[in-house]
Amino acid sequence: MTESAAESAAESAAESAAESAAERAAEKGTESPPYSGHGGHSASLAPGAPRPHSSHWGAFTATTHPDRGLEVTADPGDPDPSPLQRNLPAALDPRSRVLRPHIRRGWLERGPGPDPARGADTYVPVSWDTVIPLLAREFERVRAEHGNRAVFGGSYGWGSAGRFHHAQSQIHRFLNCLGGYTRSVNTYSLGASRTLLRHVVGDDAPISTPTTFPVLAEHTGLFLCFGGMPAKNSQVSAGGISRHHTAAALRAARARGARFVLVSPLRDDLADELDAEWLAPVPGTDTALMLALAHVLIDEGRYDEAFCHRYCEGFDTFRRHVLGHDGSAAKTPRWAEEICGIPAARIAALARELPRHRTMISLSWSLQRAHRGEQPLWAGIALACLLGQIGLPGGGFGHGYGATAGIGAGSLPYKLPTLSQGTNPVADFIPVARIADLLLHPGGTCDYDGQRLVYPDIRLVHWAGGNPFHHHQDLARLRRAFTRPDTVVVHEPHWTATARHADIVLPATTTLEREDIGGAKEDAALIAMHRIAEPVGEARDDYRILGDLAHELGVGAAFSEGRDERAWLEHLYESWRAGLDPRYAPREDFAAFWGAGRIALRGRRERHTLYADFRADPDARPLPTPSGRIELYSRTIASYGYDDCPGHPTWLPPAPEDGAAYPLHLIANNPAARLHSQLDHGALSAASKVAGREPVRLHPADAAARGLRPGDVARVRSAVGSLLAGVVISDALRPGVAQLATGAWFDPSAPEVATCVHGNPNALTRDTGTSRLAQGCTGQLTRVEVEPYDGPAPPPPVHAHLPPPGP
């Protein structure tokens, strides 16, 4: 079928769908007109004038020039602006953009249904007037034949720092207007943490309201940093950040005399200027090291026994386990040395040093993104309990310092403007990292936090915001999973791998092409995000796409409430302002706020000590746990009977892998040159590539043993898959460790050479959960071999940033 014939067929199908939709609307008689578009409000700004905007990596102003393109200027008040702003101009590059709606040829010609060609097919461009009625008809079919639980609403929320154009809120609101959907819970970043913390301390306060950096800078004498505090991660924050203060706070602590000990296989997980002692354990063995530190404290009587009995539940059980009185091995430093590779004498000396300082046990998010990831977080909390400093300024534990710019920055005592998602009447859900299982095994089961979940039979996947072909593990398996539904719909600005595995691709605007309100509860500014540029091609924002689709399906009034984009922004702002305590409510009305470009938010608490109230009076201010105390032994978790997550912190060896075939430990951490996979084709990200591919770092000894030199193209293999990457050699890694950042756009265009020829590490990682308790992501660590590329010269080109071939 030619392109024109294919489009004509789609138009014919759309006509009948449009007629039936019009009949339904006429019968209801109450349907509002479809969303009316942008309204051109930014036209009031002079052409070329700098316009305020915000992103996950900071506030900025931008100007568009016909000859120079987009020029971005960091907020002049930001003491440490993020270099990620260099990637922003690529957002408007039409070469990678989805310029029109597209329908996969196989779906267009054969109709909905499982299709192994999904992910390797061609696409036919169609009009918006064609695709909206066609998609509405497919929604009607799936809901009528299979019910709303057969619809999966996928989104991850990182698409924009705006409060209104938050893709996750938009798509969930739309699907709830239709009667609900199967949803996901938790995140790839914190899947194990949030579930475990609910049992151990009752909520996620260690993440949402940790001890703030000004308190740490003034009081902490020793920072024991498991996983470090990488400067690259502290440049970003969900909802945006107007001031980056993390690096300055750590420098202030060091200048005051604080000592830093880094426990990580990567030396650059802490800034060189902090002069940290570097302990480089075998990856994934932090729990064993923590239990050995605990053994020294308990065995030598150096722990705070009064704190452990007053503020903790199950301490005696934990103590018996550490000392080996429960039939297990005693967790001595010598026992730990055999596991983690840190000398026993150094472990013992460090343990004896901890009580002599006001010590902060810092636990990075990376620790729990691995097999049995619940255990290092729980063991780190237990170690802090032994020191007895929880609730004291500068002491205790923190979870995620350096993970984002907002952790430890303080928080506002009120919520920010938020778009209501409505109520989802469908009860079905999955832990987010089980998406491939859901699609591949309808009717199958999954253990999760004491429940036995049954996977619904998903027939329609609607994804807006997020890139599962970045976040998920074992991408070859995910590709198979995406072939099973009847229909996959994706909103995307760019031709990412997720878009290339969809049946219907709807071109979405980027944040630069929209108006919004930017703000985060950790920041003291609200940003008027003016539109910087007109939409590229025929791109539309998610609100307009979903509003038009809702109108076609007869729920447009419920979805839009009669408001266009600007009316929603004003409504969200004014209703939020009216509901605030007068001490905090902005004086500026919406017009004044929009004209000013930003306003200061009052009341942010910059000095806060986690659990200070609990420490002062644990009876009057108990924790929201069953015991009201910190649960070093959880009867609830123990009752589940999970052998992969017992009722107290335990060293559980990772899943067995063939160490002879794959002798290197690969660390797949967050990238320094982009946020996740966003704008991988941007200037900063592109400059970080080696031989056009994502760099893999090796220790000099490991590179030499394999005959690899800087700049070589290497093949990296695991038991799951393979990839090509560019070689970088550095002594900032423990020998036996390789490091390859996440976020390179997945490129399976040469399967005869590698699963991914661009260097996405999730082509290598296993698709298994942390444990039956949390089912979190385990993508941080895997076992690999790295070898010189010996295929045809030159290696296959990378197609990830180019549009797919046409019909």
PDB file of all heavy atoms in Angstrom, residues 52-72:
ATOM      1  N   PRO A  52      11.034  33.951  30.706  1.00  0.00           N
ATOM      2  CA  PRO A  52      11.360  33.072  31.842  1.00  0.00           C
ATOM      3  C   PRO A  52      10.794  31.680  31.639  1.00  0.00           C
ATOM      4  O   PRO A  52       9.718  31.496  31.067  1.00  0.00           O
ATOM      5  CB  PRO A  52      10.690  33.780  33.019  1.00  0.00           C
ATOM      6  CG  PRO A  52       9.537  34.508  32.407  1.00  0.00           C
ATOM      7  CD  PRO A  52      10.000  34.950  31.048  1.00  0.00           C
ATOM      8  N   HIS A  53      11.513  30.701  32.125  1.00  0.00           N
ATOM      9  CA  HIS A  53      11.061  29.318  32.039  1.00  0.00           C
ATOM     10  C   HIS A  53      11.761  28.530  33.143  1.00  0.00           C
ATOM     11  O   HIS A  53      12.601  29.063  33.879  1.00  0.00           O
ATOM     12  CB  HIS A  53      11.390  28.741  30.661  1.00  0.00           C
ATOM     13  CG  HIS A  53      10.441  27.657  30.233  1.00  0.00           C
ATOM     14  ND1 HIS A  53       9.172  27.913  29.769  1.00  0.00           N
ATOM     15  CD2 HIS A  53      10.586  26.309  30.211  1.00  0.00           C
ATOM     16  CE1 HIS A  53       8.568  26.771  29.463  1.00  0.00           C
ATOM     17  NE2 HIS A  53       9.403  25.777  29.731  1.00  0.00           N
ATOM     18  N   SER A  54      11.448  27.265  33.257  1.00  0.00           N
ATOM     19  CA  SER A  54      12.070  26.428  34.277  1.00  0.00           C
ATOM     20  C   SER A  54      12.184  25.008  33.766  1.00  0.00           C
ATOM     21  O   SER A  54      11.457  24.595  32.853  1.00  0.00           O
ATOM     22  CB  SER A  54      11.264  26.455  35.577  1.00  0.00           C
ATOM     23  OG  SER A  54      11.937  25.767  36.617  1.00  0.00           O
ATOM     24  N   SER A  55      13.103  24.278  34.353  1.00  0.00           N
ATOM     25  CA  SER A  55      13.322  22.879  33.985  1.00  0.00           C
ATOM     26  C   SER A  55      13.690  22.100  35.231  1.00  0.00           C
ATOM     27  O   SER A  55      13.895  22.669  36.308  1.00  0.00           O
ATOM     28  CB  SER A  55      14.455  22.787  32.965  1.00  0.00           C
ATOM     29  OG  SER A  55      15.689  23.127  33.574  1.00  0.00           O
ATOM     30  N   HIS A  56      13.803  20.799  35.087  1.00  0.00           N
ATOM     31  CA  HIS A  56      14.200  19.967  36.222  1.00  0.00           C
ATOM     32  C   HIS A  56      15.605  20.287  36.692  1.00  0.00           C
ATOM     33  O   HIS A  56      15.982  19.919  37.806  1.00  0.00           O
ATOM     34  CB  HIS A  56      14.110  18.491  35.850  1.00  0.00           C
ATOM     35  CG  HIS A  56      12.714  18.013  35.603  1.00  0.00           C
ATOM     36  ND1 HIS A  56      11.726  18.084  36.556  1.00  0.00           N
ATOM     37  CD2 HIS A  56      12.132  17.466  34.504  1.00  0.00           C
ATOM     38  CE1 HIS A  56      10.601  17.584  36.066  1.00  0.00           C
ATOM     39  NE2 HIS A  56      10.820  17.204  34.825  1.00  0.00           N
ATOM     40  N   TRP A  57      16.398  20.944  35.861  1.00  0.00           N
ATOM     41  CA  TRP A  57      17.776  21.252  36.246  1.00  0.00           C
ATOM     42  C   TRP A  57      17.990  22.745  36.456  1.00  0.00           C
ATOM     43  O   TRP A  57      19.114  23.194  36.550  1.00  0.00           O
ATOM     44  CB  TRP A  57      18.765  20.699  35.230  1.00  0.00           C
ATOM     45  CG  TRP A  57      18.395  20.960  33.802  1.00  0.00           C
ATOM     46  CD1 TRP A  57      18.719  22.049  33.053  1.00  0.00           C
ATOM     47  CD2 TRP A  57      17.631  20.111  32.953  1.00  0.00           C
ATOM     48  NE1 TRP A  57      18.197  21.937  31.789  1.00  0.00           N
ATOM     49  CE2 TRP A  57      17.527  20.746  31.702  1.00  0.00           C
ATOM     50  CE3 TRP A  57      17.026  18.861  33.130  1.00  0.00           C
ATOM     51  CZ2 TRP A  57      16.838  20.181  30.625  1.00  0.00           C
ATOM     52  CZ3 TRP A  57      16.345  18.313  32.059  1.00  0.00           C
ATOM     53  CH2 TRP A  57      16.250  18.960  30.827  1.00  0.00           C
ATOM     54  N   GLY A  58      16.904  23.528  36.565  1.00  0.00           N
ATOM     55  CA  GLY A  58      17.080  24.909  36.962  1.00  0.00           C
ATOM     56  C   GLY A  58      16.212  25.890  36.200  1.00  0.00           C
ATOM     57  O   GLY A  58      15.698  25.597  35.116  1.00  0.00           O
ATOM     58  N   ALA A  59      16.049  27.080  36.796  1.00  0.00           N
ATOM     59  CA  ALA A  59      15.327  28.171  36.146  1.00  0.00           C
ATOM     60  C   ALA A  59      16.258  28.866  35.155  1.00  0.00           C
ATOM     61  O   ALA A  59      17.479  28.905  35.333  1.00  0.00           O
ATOM     62  CB  ALA A  59      14.826  29.161  37.189  1.00  0.00           C
ATOM     63  N   PHE A  60      15.660  29.453  34.108  1.00  0.00           N
ATOM     64  CA  PHE A  60      16.459  30.114  33.090  1.00  0.00           C
ATOM     65  C   PHE A  60      15.575  31.068  32.302  1.00  0.00           C
ATOM     66  O   PHE A  60      14.349  31.074  32.449  1.00  0.00           O
ATOM     67  CB  PHE A  60      17.095  29.079  32.143  1.00  0.00           C
ATOM     68  CG  PHE A  60      16.101  28.244  31.371  1.00  0.00           C
ATOM     69  CD1 PHE A  60      15.664  28.626  30.104  1.00  0.00           C
ATOM     70  CD2 PHE A  60      15.605  27.067  31.910  1.00  0.00           C
ATOM     71  CE1 PHE A  60      14.752  27.861  29.403  1.00  0.00           C
ATOM     72  CE2 PHE A  60      14.682  26.287  31.211  1.00  0.00           C
ATOM     73  CZ  PHE A  60      14.253  26.688  29.954  1.00  0.00           C
ATOM     74  N   THR A  61      16.204  31.889  31.490  1.00  0.00           N
ATOM     75  CA  THR A  61      15.500  32.650  30.470  1.00  0.00           C
ATOM     76  C   THR A  61      16.031  32.210  29.120  1.00  0.00           C
ATOM     77  O   THR A  61      17.166  31.727  29.013  1.00  0.00           O
ATOM     78  CB  THR A  61      15.683  34.161  30.639  1.00  0.00           C
ATOM     79  OG1 THR A  61      17.089  34.464  30.590  1.00  0.00           O
ATOM     80  CG2 THR A  61      15.108  34.644  31.969  1.00  0.00           C
ATOM     81  N   ALA A  62      15.213  32.368  28.092  1.00  0.00           N
ATOM     82  CA  ALA A  62      15.619  31.923  26.765  1.00  0.00           C
ATOM     83  C   ALA A  62      15.099  32.870  25.707  1.00  0.00           C
ATOM     84  O   ALA A  62      14.068  33.535  25.888  1.00  0.00           O
ATOM     85  CB  ALA A  62      15.116  30.506  26.501  1.00  0.00           C
ATOM     86  N   THR A  63      15.833  32.921  24.641  1.00  0.00           N
ATOM     87  CA  THR A  63      15.497  33.766  23.507  1.00  0.00           C
ATOM     88  C   THR A  63      15.674  32.954  22.234  1.00  0.00           C
ATOM     89  O   THR A  63      16.626  32.174  22.115  1.00  0.00           O
ATOM     90  CB  THR A  63      16.434  34.990  23.440  1.00  0.00           C
ATOM     91  OG1 THR A  63      16.393  35.674  24.695  1.00  0.00           O
ATOM     92  CG2 THR A  63      16.010  35.939  22.340  1.00  0.00           C
ATOM     93  N   THR A  64      14.752  33.126  21.308  1.00  0.00           N
ATOM     94  CA  THR A  64      14.887  32.470  20.012  1.00  0.00           C
ATOM     95  C   THR A  64      15.274  33.494  18.963  1.00  0.00           C
ATOM     96  O   THR A  64      14.728  34.597  18.915  1.00  0.00           O
ATOM     97  CB  THR A  64      13.580  31.774  19.607  1.00  0.00           C
ATOM     98  OG1 THR A  64      12.506  32.715  19.645  1.00  0.00           O
ATOM     99  CG2 THR A  64      13.259  30.629  20.551  1.00  0.00           C
ATOM    100  N   HIS A  65      16.248  33.121  18.143  1.00  0.00           N
ATOM    101  CA  HIS A  65      16.707  33.980  17.054  1.00  0.00           C
ATOM    102  C   HIS A  65      16.616  33.200  15.749  1.00  0.00           C
ATOM    103  O   HIS A  65      16.964  32.014  15.708  1.00  0.00           O
ATOM    104  CB  HIS A  65      18.164  34.412  17.273  1.00  0.00           C
ATOM    105  CG  HIS A  65      18.346  35.339  18.431  1.00  0.00           C
ATOM    106  ND1 HIS A  65      18.059  36.677  18.374  1.00  0.00           N
ATOM    107  CD2 HIS A  65      18.780  35.106  19.701  1.00  0.00           C
ATOM    108  CE1 HIS A  65      18.317  37.241  19.547  1.00  0.00           C
ATOM    109  NE2 HIS A  65      18.748  36.297  20.376  1.00  0.00           N
ATOM    110  N   PRO A  66      16.161  33.846  14.673  1.00  0.00           N
ATOM    111  CA  PRO A  66      16.055  33.132  13.392  1.00  0.00           C
ATOM    112  C   PRO A  66      17.385  32.551  12.929  1.00  0.00           C
ATOM    113  O   PRO A  66      17.420  31.482  12.322  1.00  0.00           O
ATOM    114  CB  PRO A  66      15.546  34.218  12.433  1.00  0.00           C
ATOM    115  CG  PRO A  66      14.911  35.241  13.295  1.00  0.00           C
ATOM    116  CD  PRO A  66      15.666  35.230  14.588  1.00  0.00           C
ATOM    117  N   ASP A  67      18.489  33.238  13.228  1.00  0.00           N
ATOM    118  CA  ASP A  67      19.782  32.776  12.736  1.00  0.00           C
ATOM    119  C   ASP A  67      20.564  31.971  13.770  1.00  0.00           C
ATOM    120  O   ASP A  67      21.284  31.045  13.431  1.00  0.00           O
ATOM    121  CB  ASP A  67      20.628  33.974  12.271  1.00  0.00           C
ATOM    122  CG  ASP A  67      20.760  35.049  13.340  1.00  0.00           C
ATOM    123  OD1 ASP A  67      19.962  35.023  14.297  1.00  0.00           O
ATOM    124  OD2 ASP A  67      21.656  35.906  13.208  1.00  0.00           O
ATOM    125  N   ARG A  68      20.423  32.313  15.068  1.00  0.00           N
ATOM    126  CA  ARG A  68      21.225  31.650  16.102  1.00  0.00           C
ATOM    127  C   ARG A  68      20.458  30.572  16.859  1.00  0.00           C
ATOM    128  O   ARG A  68      21.029  29.885  17.703  1.00  0.00           O
ATOM    129  CB  ARG A  68      21.776  32.683  17.093  1.00  0.00           C
ATOM    130  CG  ARG A  68      22.686  33.722  16.454  1.00  0.00           C
ATOM    131  CD  ARG A  68      23.454  34.518  17.492  1.00  0.00           C
ATOM    132  NE  ARG A  68      22.580  35.231  18.416  1.00  0.00           N
ATOM    133  CZ  ARG A  68      22.096  36.453  18.174  1.00  0.00           C
ATOM    134  NH1 ARG A  68      22.377  37.066  17.027  1.00  0.00           N
ATOM    135  NH2 ARG A  68      21.337  37.070  19.053  1.00  0.00           N
ATOM    136  N   GLY A  69      19.176  30.436  16.592  1.00  0.00           N
ATOM    137  CA  GLY A  69      18.384  29.434  17.281  1.00  0.00           C
ATOM    138  C   GLY A  69      18.087  29.826  18.719  1.00  0.00           C
ATOM    139  O   GLY A  69      17.959  31.010  19.041  1.00  0.00           O
ATOM    140  N   LEU A  70      18.024  28.829  19.607  1.00  0.00           N
ATOM    141  CA  LEU A  70      17.659  29.053  20.999  1.00  0.00           C
ATOM    142  C   LEU A  70      18.886  29.422  21.818  1.00  0.00           C
ATOM    143  O   LEU A  70      19.893  28.710  21.789  1.00  0.00           O
ATOM    144  CB  LEU A  70      17.020  27.795  21.577  1.00  0.00           C
ATOM    145  CG  LEU A  70      16.509  27.897  23.022  1.00  0.00           C
ATOM    146  CD1 LEU A  70      15.275  28.776  23.094  1.00  0.00           C
ATOM    147  CD2 LEU A  70      16.198  26.508  23.579  1.00  0.00           C
ATOM    148  N   GLU A  71      18.795  30.537  22.540  1.00  0.00           N
ATOM    149  CA  GLU A  71      19.855  30.954  23.449  1.00  0.00           C
ATOM    150  C   GLU A  71      19.324  30.902  24.876  1.00  0.00           C
ATOM    151  O   GLU A  71      18.307  31.530  25.188  1.00  0.00           O
ATOM    152  CB  GLU A  71      20.340  32.365  23.109  1.00  0.00           C
ATOM    153  CG  GLU A  71      21.043  32.450  21.754  1.00  0.00           C
ATOM    154  CD  GLU A  71      21.656  33.818  21.511  1.00  0.00           C
ATOM    155  OE1 GLU A  71      21.343  34.755  22.279  1.00  0.00           O
ATOM    156  OE2 GLU A  71      22.436  33.947  20.553  1.00  0.00           O
ATOM    157  N   VAL A  72      20.007  30.147  25.715  1.00  0.00           N
ATOM    158  CA  VAL A  72      19.568  29.908  27.088  1.00  0.00           C
ATOM    159  C   VAL A  72      20.518  30.599  28.052  1.00  0.00           C
ATOM    160  O   VAL A  72      21.744  30.474  27.922  1.00  0.00           O
ATOM    161  CB  VAL A  72      19.519  28.392  27.386  1.00  0.00           C
ATOM    162  CG1 VAL A  72      19.130  28.132  28.837  1.00  0.00           C
ATOM    163  CG2 VAL A  72      18.547  27.697  26.437  1.00  0.00           C
TER     164      VAL A  72
END
